[in-house]
Amino acid sequence: MSHPVLLVIAHGSRDPRHAATVHALTERVRAQRPGLRVETGFLEFNAPSVPRVLERLAAEGADEVIALPLLLTRAFHAKTDIPSVLREARARLPRLHIRQADVLGPSPLLNATLGRRLREAGVRHGDLPRTGLVLASAGSTDPEAIAVIAEIARELRHTGWCAVRPAFASAALPRTEDAVRALRAEGVARVAVAPYVIAPGRLPDRIAAGAEAAGADVLADVLGPAPELARLLLDRYDEARVPVGASLSA
C-alpha cells in the first residue's frame, strides 16, 4: 500500500527568501525519507496554492494526503485558515482523503534547532551562565499561542541560561528590543536573540532590527532547513498517518 502524500502547507510571503527556505526544508525531508512524495502549497503570496496542489494530486490519482501546517503554534492559521481550505477541498475532491496533521511546536526537536542556530552564531555551552536569551517569535493574538511561547521560555531557562525572556514581532508584547533592554537592566552581561520562526521575511527582519537597535550581543539565524526540523515534519506526518496505539511500519 502506498504511503499518503505529505503536503507541507506554508503561509507564503512576498519575500523570496521565505519560499526558498520552505523548499529547502522540504528537500531535506525528501532526503531523510526517500520514496515519500512531498509537496508544498502556500496559503498566499506564493505558488502553488494549497487548492491547486490538491487538485493536481487528485487528478494524478492520489488517494490520501496528510496536510501538515508549517506552523510553530496553534493559532489562527492552524485553527481557522487551513481547516477552511481543506474543508473546501474535501467537498470538491471527495475521492481524495485529506487529513490535517498537528502543528510543529512545542517539541524538543525545535529546541534542538534553536540550539544549533545559537551555536552557529557563536554561543558556547560555557557562555550560558552569563548569557540571557530572548526567544523572539512572530507573535499572535491567540492566547494559547502566546502561552506556548512563554512556556518554552520557562523550559529553556532550566537548560543553563542565566535568564530567558519571550518576545514578539507583532500582535503581543514585549518586542525584541524591549526584552533585550529588560535583561540589560537586570544586569545580564551578554544577551542573545533566537528567532523562533522558520523562514526569513518581514517579521524575522523586525526581530533582527530590534536586536540590533537594543545592542544584543548575538543574533541567531531563523530555524530554516535544519535536519532536526525536517525530522520533526516527518514525526508529525507519522503521528497523523497512524492511529493512536497502532504500530507504524516504515
Side-chain angles (χ1 to χ4, degrees):
M1 184 174 65
S2 62
H3 297 315
V5 176
L6 169 57
L7 171 58
V8 177
I9 300 180
H11 182 271
S13 171
R14 293 185 177 91
D15 188 322
R17 297 173 297 167
H18 175 91
T21 301
V22 172
H23 289 307
L25 177 59
T26 54
E27 281 299 323
R28 190 176 284 274
V29 172
R30 292 185 187 99
Q32 287 193 12
R33 190 168 296 180
L36 174 63
R37 182 169 182 179
V38 183
E39 298 285 344
T40 306
F42 296 89
L43 292 176
E44 55 184 338
F45 301 123
N46 301 106
S49 68
V50 175
R52 298 294 84 77
V53 175
L54 292 170
E55 289 167 3
R56 174 166 53 81
L57 290 172
E60 293 173 1
D63 298 316
E64 187 173 6
V65 174
I66 292 177
L68 196 161
L70 197 62
L71 300 170
L72 300 178
T73 59
R74 291 189 72 252
F76 181 79
H77 294 304
K79 294 177 179 179
T80 303
D81 277 0
I82 292 175
S84 175
V85 169
L86 298 182
R87 275 195 305 271
E88 293 173 3
R90 290 185 189 103
R92 290 183 291 103
L93 308 166
R95 294 185 180 179
L96 185 62
H97 182 50
I98 305 169
R99 276 187 274 178
Q100 181 176 337
D102 201 359
V103 296
L104 299 177
S107 168
L109 288 168
L110 285 173
N111 293 354
T113 307
L114 280 172
R116 171 187 288 274
R117 296 308 183 213
L118 285 160
R119 288 191 300 274
E120 291 170 350
V123 177
R124 298 293 174 258
H125 184 74
D127 300 331
L128 269 57
R130 64 184 185 89
T131 304
L133 176 66
V134 175
L135 181 70
S137 78
S140 173
T141 57
D142 189 300
E144 178 185 350
I146 297 301
V148 166
I149 300 302
E151 178 59 27
I152 294 169
R154 283 191 290 270
E155 291 176 0
L156 290 172
R157 173 65 181 84
H158 298 296
T159 62
W161 302 93
C162 72
V164 182
R165 297 287 183 272
F168 307 94
S170 67
L173 297 174
R175 295 289 184 257
T176 302
E177 54 269 35
D178 297 327
V180 172
R181 290 173 181 138
L183 288 171
R184 295 285 194 213
E186 294 171 12
V188 175
R190 192 165 185 252
V191 178
V193 174
Y196 192 65
V197 291
I198 293 174
R202 177 175 56 89
L203 295 180
D205 284 350
R206 188 178 294 175
I207 290 170
E212 181 179 1
D217 301 283
V218 175
L219 173 64
D221 201 355
V222 297
L223 301 176
E228 297 89 351
L229 188 54
R231 168 67 185 276
L232 179 55
L233 265 67
L234 289 169
D235 284 353
R236 293 291 183 256
Y237 168 84
D238 290 336
E239 291 163 3
R241 175 182 153 212
V242 180
V244 174
S247 62
L248 174 64
S249 58

mmCIF file of all heavy atoms in Angstrom, residues 87-128:
data_model
loop_
_atom_site.group_PDB
_atom_site.id
_atom_site.type_symbol
_atom_site.label_atom_id
_atom_site.label_comp_id
_atom_site.label_asym_id
_atom_site.label_seq_id
_atom_site.Cartn_x
_atom_site.Cartn_y
_atom_site.Cartn_z
ATOM 1 N N ARG A 87 -11.454 21.885 4.142
ATOM 2 C CA ARG A 87 -12.882 21.537 4.026
ATOM 3 C C ARG A 87 -13.387 21.778 2.608
ATOM 4 O O ARG A 87 -14.112 20.943 2.039
ATOM 5 C CB ARG A 87 -13.710 22.357 5.024
ATOM 6 C CG ARG A 87 -13.780 21.776 6.418
ATOM 7 C CD ARG A 87 -14.887 22.421 7.228
ATOM 8 N NE ARG A 87 -14.771 23.876 7.278
ATOM 9 C CZ ARG A 87 -14.079 24.528 8.207
ATOM 10 N NH1 ARG A 87 -13.430 23.867 9.142
ATOM 11 N NH2 ARG A 87 -14.036 25.845 8.197
ATOM 12 N N GLU A 88 -13.024 22.916 2.054
ATOM 13 C CA GLU A 88 -13.458 23.219 0.686
ATOM 14 C C GLU A 88 -12.886 22.206 -0.300
ATOM 15 O O GLU A 88 -13.571 21.786 -1.247
ATOM 16 C CB GLU A 88 -13.032 24.637 0.313
ATOM 17 C CG GLU A 88 -13.751 25.723 1.105
ATOM 18 C CD GLU A 88 -13.188 27.105 0.828
ATOM 19 O OE1 GLU A 88 -12.278 27.220 -0.017
ATOM 20 O OE2 GLU A 88 -13.668 28.073 1.464
ATOM 21 N N ALA A 89 -11.641 21.818 -0.090
ATOM 22 C CA ALA A 89 -11.021 20.840 -0.986
ATOM 23 C C ALA A 89 -11.705 19.479 -0.874
ATOM 24 O O ALA A 89 -11.922 18.800 -1.884
ATOM 25 C CB ALA A 89 -9.535 20.713 -0.661
ATOM 26 N N ARG A 90 -12.050 19.069 0.340
ATOM 27 C CA ARG A 90 -12.741 17.779 0.513
ATOM 28 C C ARG A 90 -14.087 17.779 -0.203
ATOM 29 O O ARG A 90 -14.491 16.765 -0.777
ATOM 30 C CB ARG A 90 -12.948 17.497 2.007
ATOM 31 C CG ARG A 90 -11.671 17.187 2.779
ATOM 32 C CD ARG A 90 -11.980 16.803 4.218
ATOM 33 N NE ARG A 90 -10.769 16.723 5.011
ATOM 34 C CZ ARG A 90 -10.367 17.640 5.882
ATOM 35 N NH1 ARG A 90 -11.117 18.731 6.073
ATOM 36 N NH2 ARG A 90 -9.238 17.478 6.552
ATOM 37 N N ALA A 91 -14.768 18.919 -0.171
ATOM 38 C CA ALA A 91 -16.074 18.994 -0.842
ATOM 39 C C ALA A 91 -15.923 18.898 -2.353
ATOM 40 O O ALA A 91 -16.770 18.296 -3.034
ATOM 41 C CB ALA A 91 -16.761 20.310 -0.461
ATOM 42 N N ARG A 92 -14.843 19.472 -2.896
ATOM 43 C CA ARG A 92 -14.635 19.446 -4.346
ATOM 44 C C ARG A 92 -13.980 18.159 -4.825
ATOM 45 O O ARG A 92 -14.135 17.777 -5.990
ATOM 46 C CB ARG A 92 -13.769 20.640 -4.770
ATOM 47 C CG ARG A 92 -14.445 21.992 -4.673
ATOM 48 C CD ARG A 92 -13.562 23.107 -5.185
ATOM 49 N NE ARG A 92 -12.412 23.365 -4.318
ATOM 50 C CZ ARG A 92 -11.175 22.974 -4.557
ATOM 51 N NH1 ARG A 92 -10.897 22.287 -5.655
ATOM 52 N NH2 ARG A 92 -10.199 23.258 -3.713
ATOM 53 N N LEU A 93 -13.229 17.496 -3.922
ATOM 54 C CA LEU A 93 -12.456 16.313 -4.308
ATOM 55 C C LEU A 93 -12.806 15.156 -3.378
ATOM 56 O O LEU A 93 -11.976 14.707 -2.568
ATOM 57 C CB LEU A 93 -10.953 16.642 -4.219
ATOM 58 C CG LEU A 93 -10.489 17.910 -4.953
ATOM 59 C CD1 LEU A 93 -9.078 18.294 -4.506
ATOM 60 C CD2 LEU A 93 -10.558 17.697 -6.462
ATOM 61 N N PRO A 94 -14.026 14.642 -3.463
ATOM 62 C CA PRO A 94 -14.489 13.653 -2.477
ATOM 63 C C PRO A 94 -13.704 12.344 -2.483
ATOM 64 O O PRO A 94 -13.733 11.612 -1.488
ATOM 65 C CB PRO A 94 -15.955 13.422 -2.868
ATOM 66 C CG PRO A 94 -16.043 13.839 -4.307
ATOM 67 C CD PRO A 94 -15.063 14.953 -4.468
ATOM 68 N N ARG A 95 -12.997 12.036 -3.559
ATOM 69 C CA ARG A 95 -12.241 10.781 -3.604
ATOM 70 C C ARG A 95 -10.860 10.904 -2.962
ATOM 71 O O ARG A 95 -10.182 9.893 -2.781
ATOM 72 C CB ARG A 95 -12.088 10.322 -5.061
ATOM 73 C CG ARG A 95 -13.418 9.946 -5.708
ATOM 74 C CD ARG A 95 -13.201 9.397 -7.097
ATOM 75 N NE ARG A 95 -14.461 9.028 -7.742
ATOM 76 C CZ ARG A 95 -14.559 8.538 -8.965
ATOM 77 N NH1 ARG A 95 -13.451 8.358 -9.696
ATOM 78 N NH2 ARG A 95 -15.738 8.233 -9.476
ATOM 79 N N LEU A 96 -10.468 12.112 -2.638
ATOM 80 C CA LEU A 96 -9.159 12.339 -2.030
ATOM 81 C C LEU A 96 -9.334 12.478 -0.522
ATOM 82 O O LEU A 96 -9.990 13.400 -0.039
ATOM 83 C CB LEU A 96 -8.530 13.608 -2.611
ATOM 84 C CG LEU A 96 -7.098 13.932 -2.162
ATOM 85 C CD1 LEU A 96 -6.132 12.832 -2.598
ATOM 86 C CD2 LEU A 96 -6.657 15.283 -2.729
ATOM 87 N N HIS A 97 -8.755 11.567 0.229
ATOM 88 C CA HIS A 97 -8.849 11.596 1.688
ATOM 89 C C HIS A 97 -7.759 12.534 2.214
ATOM 90 O O HIS A 97 -6.564 12.286 2.007
ATOM 91 C CB HIS A 97 -8.676 10.189 2.249
ATOM 92 C CG HIS A 97 -8.797 10.131 3.746
ATOM 93 N ND1 HIS A 97 -9.846 10.687 4.432
ATOM 94 C CD2 HIS A 97 -7.986 9.573 4.682
ATOM 95 C CE1 HIS A 97 -9.690 10.479 5.722
ATOM 96 N NE2 HIS A 97 -8.558 9.810 5.900
ATOM 97 N N ILE A 98 -8.181 13.602 2.915
ATOM 98 C CA ILE A 98 -7.243 14.624 3.389
ATOM 99 C C ILE A 98 -7.304 14.681 4.904
ATOM 100 O O ILE A 98 -8.368 14.874 5.495
ATOM 101 C CB ILE A 98 -7.599 16.008 2.808
ATOM 102 C CG1 ILE A 98 -7.659 15.966 1.287
ATOM 103 C CG2 ILE A 98 -6.581 17.053 3.281
ATOM 104 C CD1 ILE A 98 -8.249 17.217 0.657
ATOM 105 N N ARG A 99 -6.148 14.513 5.534
ATOM 106 C CA ARG A 99 -6.052 14.638 6.983
ATOM 107 C C ARG A 99 -5.115 15.788 7.331
ATOM 108 O O ARG A 99 -4.085 15.975 6.675
ATOM 109 C CB ARG A 99 -5.499 13.352 7.599
ATOM 110 C CG ARG A 99 -6.561 12.300 7.831
ATOM 111 C CD ARG A 99 -5.961 11.125 8.590
ATOM 112 N NE ARG A 99 -5.348 10.176 7.679
ATOM 113 C CZ ARG A 99 -4.707 9.079 8.076
ATOM 114 N NH1 ARG A 99 -4.562 8.821 9.351
ATOM 115 N NH2 ARG A 99 -4.201 8.244 7.185
ATOM 116 N N GLN A 100 -5.453 16.532 8.373
ATOM 117 C CA GLN A 100 -4.592 17.622 8.818
ATOM 118 C C GLN A 100 -3.741 17.153 9.983
ATOM 119 O O GLN A 100 -4.249 16.694 11.006
ATOM 120 C CB GLN A 100 -5.420 18.838 9.239
ATOM 121 C CG GLN A 100 -4.545 20.020 9.681
ATOM 122 C CD GLN A 100 -5.354 21.261 9.999
ATOM 123 O OE1 GLN A 100 -6.479 21.424 9.519
ATOM 124 N NE2 GLN A 100 -4.798 22.145 10.809
ATOM 125 N N ALA A 101 -2.426 17.279 9.847
ATOM 126 C CA ALA A 101 -1.503 16.946 10.923
ATOM 127 C C ALA A 101 -1.442 18.084 11.932
ATOM 128 O O ALA A 101 -1.926 19.197 11.692
ATOM 129 C CB ALA A 101 -0.116 16.665 10.354
ATOM 130 N N ASP A 102 -0.823 17.797 13.065
ATOM 131 C CA ASP A 102 -0.679 18.808 14.101
ATOM 132 C C ASP A 102 0.410 19.808 13.722
ATOM 133 O O ASP A 102 1.254 19.531 12.871
ATOM 134 C CB ASP A 102 -0.318 18.128 15.422
ATOM 135 C CG ASP A 102 -0.650 18.990 16.636
ATOM 136 O OD1 ASP A 102 -1.136 20.123 16.447
ATOM 137 O OD2 ASP A 102 -0.424 18.522 17.771
ATOM 138 N N VAL A 103 0.387 20.968 14.379
ATOM 139 C CA VAL A 103 1.446 21.955 14.184
ATOM 140 C C VAL A 103 2.759 21.413 14.751
ATOM 141 O O VAL A 103 2.779 20.401 15.460
ATOM 142 C CB VAL A 103 1.082 23.296 14.849
ATOM 143 C CG1 VAL A 103 -0.151 23.893 14.184
ATOM 144 C CG2 VAL A 103 0.875 23.125 16.358
ATOM 145 N N LEU A 104 3.846 22.089 14.482
ATOM 146 C CA LEU A 104 5.165 21.559 14.817
ATOM 147 C C LEU A 104 5.515 21.701 16.296
ATOM 148 O O LEU A 104 6.214 20.854 16.858
ATOM 149 C CB LEU A 104 6.220 22.253 13.962
ATOM 150 C CG LEU A 104 6.061 22.064 12.453
ATOM 151 C CD1 LEU A 104 7.118 22.866 11.709
ATOM 152 C CD2 LEU A 104 6.138 20.592 12.075
ATOM 153 N N GLY A 105 5.073 22.784 16.911
ATOM 154 C CA GLY A 105 5.507 23.012 18.282
ATOM 155 C C GLY A 105 4.413 22.798 19.301
ATOM 156 O O GLY A 105 3.232 22.712 18.951
ATOM 157 N N PRO A 106 4.844 22.685 20.547
ATOM 158 C CA PRO A 106 6.233 22.659 21.012
ATOM 159 C C PRO A 106 6.855 21.280 20.797
ATOM 160 O O PRO A 106 6.143 20.281 20.696
ATOM 161 C CB PRO A 106 6.118 22.984 22.506
ATOM 162 C CG PRO A 106 4.761 22.477 22.881
ATOM 163 C CD PRO A 106 3.890 22.681 21.671
ATOM 164 N N SER A 107 8.176 21.244 20.736
ATOM 165 C CA SER A 107 8.872 19.978 20.522
ATOM 166 C C SER A 107 10.330 20.112 20.933
ATOM 167 O O SER A 107 10.953 21.149 20.677
ATOM 168 C CB SER A 107 8.802 19.573 19.046
ATOM 169 O OG SER A 107 9.692 18.520 18.773
ATOM 170 N N PRO A 108 10.899 19.062 21.533
ATOM 171 C CA PRO A 108 12.344 19.074 21.808
ATOM 172 C C PRO A 108 13.176 19.262 20.542
ATOM 173 O O PRO A 108 14.287 19.812 20.607
ATOM 174 C CB PRO A 108 12.592 17.703 22.432
ATOM 175 C CG PRO A 108 11.281 17.305 23.016
ATOM 176 C CD PRO A 108 10.251 17.850 22.082
ATOM 177 N N LEU A 109 12.655 18.823 19.388
ATOM 178 C CA LEU A 109 13.395 18.996 18.148
ATOM 179 C C LEU A 109 13.478 20.466 17.743
ATOM 180 O O LEU A 109 14.470 20.892 17.135
ATOM 181 C CB LEU A 109 12.775 18.164 17.031
ATOM 182 C CG LEU A 109 12.998 16.650 17.145
ATOM 183 C CD1 LEU A 109 12.120 15.893 16.168
ATOM 184 C CD2 LEU A 109 14.470 16.313 16.917
ATOM 185 N N LEU A 110 12.466 21.244 18.079
ATOM 186 C CA LEU A 110 12.542 22.690 17.827
ATOM 187 C C LEU A 110 13.567 23.334 18.756
ATOM 188 O O LEU A 110 14.346 24.200 18.341
ATOM 189 C CB LEU A 110 11.170 23.333 18.016
ATOM 190 C CG LEU A 110 10.159 23.080 16.902
ATOM 191 C CD1 LEU A 110 8.794 23.625 17.295
ATOM 192 C CD2 LEU A 110 10.616 23.686 15.588
ATOM 193 N N ASN A 111 13.584 22.897 20.012
ATOM 194 C CA ASN A 111 14.595 23.415 20.939
ATOM 195 C C ASN A 111 15.997 23.051 20.468
ATOM 196 O O ASN A 111 16.938 23.844 20.587
ATOM 197 C CB ASN A 111 14.344 22.869 22.341
ATOM 198 C CG ASN A 111 13.057 23.393 22.944
ATOM 199 O OD1 ASN A 111 12.394 24.253 22.368
ATOM 200 N ND2 ASN A 111 12.686 22.862 24.091
ATOM 201 N N ALA A 112 16.135 21.835 19.907
ATOM 202 C CA ALA A 112 17.439 21.425 19.381
ATOM 203 C C ALA A 112 17.841 22.284 18.189
ATOM 204 O O ALA A 112 19.023 22.624 18.022
ATOM 205 C CB ALA A 112 17.399 19.950 18.983
ATOM 206 N N THR A 113 16.874 22.657 17.368
ATOM 207 C CA THR A 113 17.168 23.532 16.233
ATOM 208 C C THR A 113 17.590 24.916 16.707
ATOM 209 O O THR A 113 18.535 25.516 16.170
ATOM 210 C CB THR A 113 15.947 23.644 15.304
ATOM 211 O OG1 THR A 113 15.496 22.334 14.938
ATOM 212 C CG2 THR A 113 16.281 24.412 14.041
ATOM 213 N N LEU A 114 16.897 25.433 17.726
ATOM 214 C CA LEU A 114 17.306 26.711 18.313
ATOM 215 C C LEU A 114 18.752 26.633 18.804
ATOM 216 O O LEU A 114 19.555 27.544 18.577
ATOM 217 C CB LEU A 114 16.389 27.070 19.482
ATOM 218 C CG LEU A 114 15.031 27.684 19.177
ATOM 219 C CD1 LEU A 114 14.211 27.765 20.454
ATOM 220 C CD2 LEU A 114 15.178 29.068 18.560
ATOM 221 N N GLY A 115 19.071 25.548 19.494
ATOM 222 C CA GLY A 115 20.429 25.376 19.987
ATOM 223 C C GLY A 115 21.451 25.354 18.867
ATOM 224 O O GLY A 115 22.537 25.939 18.971
ATOM 225 N N ARG A 116 21.115 24.676 17.776
ATOM 226 C CA ARG A 116 22.005 24.630 16.609
ATOM 227 C C ARG A 116 22.274 26.039 16.092
ATOM 228 O O ARG A 116 23.423 26.418 15.825
ATOM 229 C CB ARG A 116 21.381 23.769 15.512
ATOM 230 C CG ARG A 116 22.119 23.838 14.172
ATOM 231 C CD ARG A 116 21.346 23.108 13.082
ATOM 232 N NE ARG A 116 21.393 21.677 13.269
ATOM 233 C CZ ARG A 116 22.370 20.866 12.811
ATOM 234 N NH1 ARG A 116 23.390 21.379 12.144
ATOM 235 N NH2 ARG A 116 22.310 19.575 13.004
ATOM 236 N N ARG A 117 21.212 26.825 15.912
ATOM 237 C CA ARG A 117 21.381 28.169 15.356
ATOM 238 C C ARG A 117 22.173 29.076 16.311
ATOM 239 O O ARG A 117 22.973 29.914 15.863
ATOM 240 C CB ARG A 117 20.017 28.788 15.049
ATOM 241 C CG ARG A 117 19.219 28.055 13.972
ATOM 242 C CD ARG A 117 20.019 27.856 12.713
ATOM 243 N NE ARG A 117 19.244 27.209 11.656
ATOM 244 C CZ ARG A 117 19.756 26.387 10.764
ATOM 245 N NH1 ARG A 117 21.059 26.091 10.802
ATOM 246 N NH2 ARG A 117 19.006 25.837 9.830
ATOM 247 N N LEU A 118 21.972 28.914 17.603
ATOM 248 C CA LEU A 118 22.725 29.722 18.563
ATOM 249 C C LEU A 118 24.199 29.336 18.566
ATOM 250 O O LEU A 118 25.073 30.205 18.635
ATOM 251 C CB LEU A 118 22.114 29.575 19.959
ATOM 252 C CG LEU A 118 20.801 30.351 20.152
ATOM 253 C CD1 LEU A 118 20.015 29.788 21.320
ATOM 254 C CD2 LEU A 118 21.101 31.838 20.367
ATOM 255 N N ARG A 119 24.485 28.043 18.472
ATOM 256 C CA ARG A 119 25.894 27.624 18.395
ATOM 257 C C ARG A 119 26.545 28.158 17.133
ATOM 258 O O ARG A 119 27.701 28.611 17.149
ATOM 259 C CB ARG A 119 25.990 26.094 18.438
ATOM 260 C CG ARG A 119 25.675 25.488 19.800
ATOM 261 C CD ARG A 119 26.044 24.020 19.842
ATOM 262 N NE ARG A 119 25.322 23.228 18.850
ATOM 263 C CZ ARG A 119 24.131 22.702 19.039
ATOM 264 N NH1 ARG A 119 23.480 22.901 20.190
ATOM 265 N NH2 ARG A 119 23.552 21.970 18.101
ATOM 266 N N GLU A 120 25.808 28.114 16.024
ATOM 267 C CA GLU A 120 26.345 28.644 14.771
ATOM 268 C C GLU A 120 26.621 30.139 14.871
ATOM 269 O O GLU A 120 27.528 30.657 14.199
ATOM 270 C CB GLU A 120 25.365 28.370 13.629
ATOM 271 C CG GLU A 120 25.253 26.890 13.254
ATOM 272 C CD GLU A 120 24.112 26.606 12.296
ATOM 273 O OE1 GLU A 120 23.280 27.509 12.057
ATOM 274 O OE2 GLU A 120 24.044 25.473 11.794
ATOM 275 N N ALA A 121 25.852 30.825 15.719
ATOM 276 C CA ALA A 121 26.042 32.270 15.900
ATOM 277 C C ALA A 121 27.149 32.587 16.905
ATOM 278 O O ALA A 121 27.457 33.764 17.130
ATOM 279 C CB ALA A 121 24.734 32.912 16.352
ATOM 280 N N GLY A 122 27.730 31.552 17.516
ATOM 281 C CA GLY A 122 28.871 31.774 18.394
ATOM 282 C C GLY A 122 28.649 31.525 19.864
ATOM 283 O O GLY A 122 29.565 31.724 20.674
ATOM 284 N N VAL A 123 27.454 31.085 20.257
ATOM 285 C CA VAL A 123 27.193 30.810 21.670
ATOM 286 C C VAL A 123 27.725 29.422 22.008
ATOM 287 O O VAL A 123 27.396 28.437 21.337
ATOM 288 C CB VAL A 123 25.688 30.886 21.976
ATOM 289 C CG1 VAL A 123 25.422 30.513 23.433
ATOM 290 C CG2 VAL A 123 25.155 32.281 21.681
ATOM 291 N N ARG A 124 28.521 29.344 23.059
ATOM 292 C CA ARG A 124 29.048 28.073 23.536
ATOM 293 C C ARG A 124 28.404 27.720 24.869
ATOM 294 O O ARG A 124 27.922 28.603 25.584
ATOM 295 C CB ARG A 124 30.575 28.148 23.698
ATOM 296 C CG ARG A 124 31.303 28.416 22.382
ATOM 297 C CD ARG A 124 31.163 27.232 21.433
ATOM 298 N NE ARG A 124 31.743 27.527 20.112
ATOM 299 C CZ ARG A 124 31.051 27.848 19.051
ATOM 300 N NH1 ARG A 124 29.728 27.946 19.146
ATOM 301 N NH2 ARG A 124 31.642 28.077 17.897
ATOM 302 N N HIS A 125 28.418 26.430 25.200
ATOM 303 C CA HIS A 125 27.736 25.993 26.422
ATOM 304 C C HIS A 125 28.277 26.725 27.648
ATOM 305 O O HIS A 125 27.516 27.082 28.560
ATOM 306 C CB HIS A 125 27.893 24.476 26.605
ATOM 307 C CG HIS A 125 27.128 23.955 27.780
ATOM 308 N ND1 HIS A 125 25.755 23.822 27.780
ATOM 309 C CD2 HIS A 125 27.556 23.561 29.014
ATOM 310 C CE1 HIS A 125 25.357 23.359 28.961
ATOM 311 N NE2 HIS A 125 26.425 23.179 29.724
ATOM 312 N N GLY A 126 29.574 26.980 27.667
ATOM 313 C CA GLY A 126 30.160 27.684 28.799
ATOM 314 C C GLY A 126 29.712 29.129 28.929
ATOM 315 O O GLY A 126 29.900 29.749 29.979
ATOM 316 N N ASP A 127 29.129 29.683 27.857
ATOM 317 C CA ASP A 127 28.650 31.070 27.890
ATOM 318 C C ASP A 127 27.306 31.207 28.599
ATOM 319 O O ASP A 127 26.941 32.312 29.019
ATOM 320 C CB ASP A 127 28.484 31.621 26.465
ATOM 321 C CG ASP A 127 29.773 31.625 25.668
ATOM 322 O OD1 ASP A 127 30.839 31.749 26.292
ATOM 323 O OD2 ASP A 127 29.702 31.492 24.435
ATOM 324 N N LEU A 128 26.552 30.115 28.694
ATOM 325 C CA LEU A 128 25.158 30.210 29.129
ATOM 326 C C LEU A 128 24.969 30.834 30.512
ATOM 327 O O LEU A 128 24.053 31.659 30.681
ATOM 328 C CB LEU A 128 24.490 28.829 29.069
ATOM 329 C CG LEU A 128 23.790 28.476 27.753
ATOM 330 C CD1 LEU A 128 24.746 28.563 26.568
ATOM 331 C CD2 LEU A 128 23.160 27.089 27.819
#
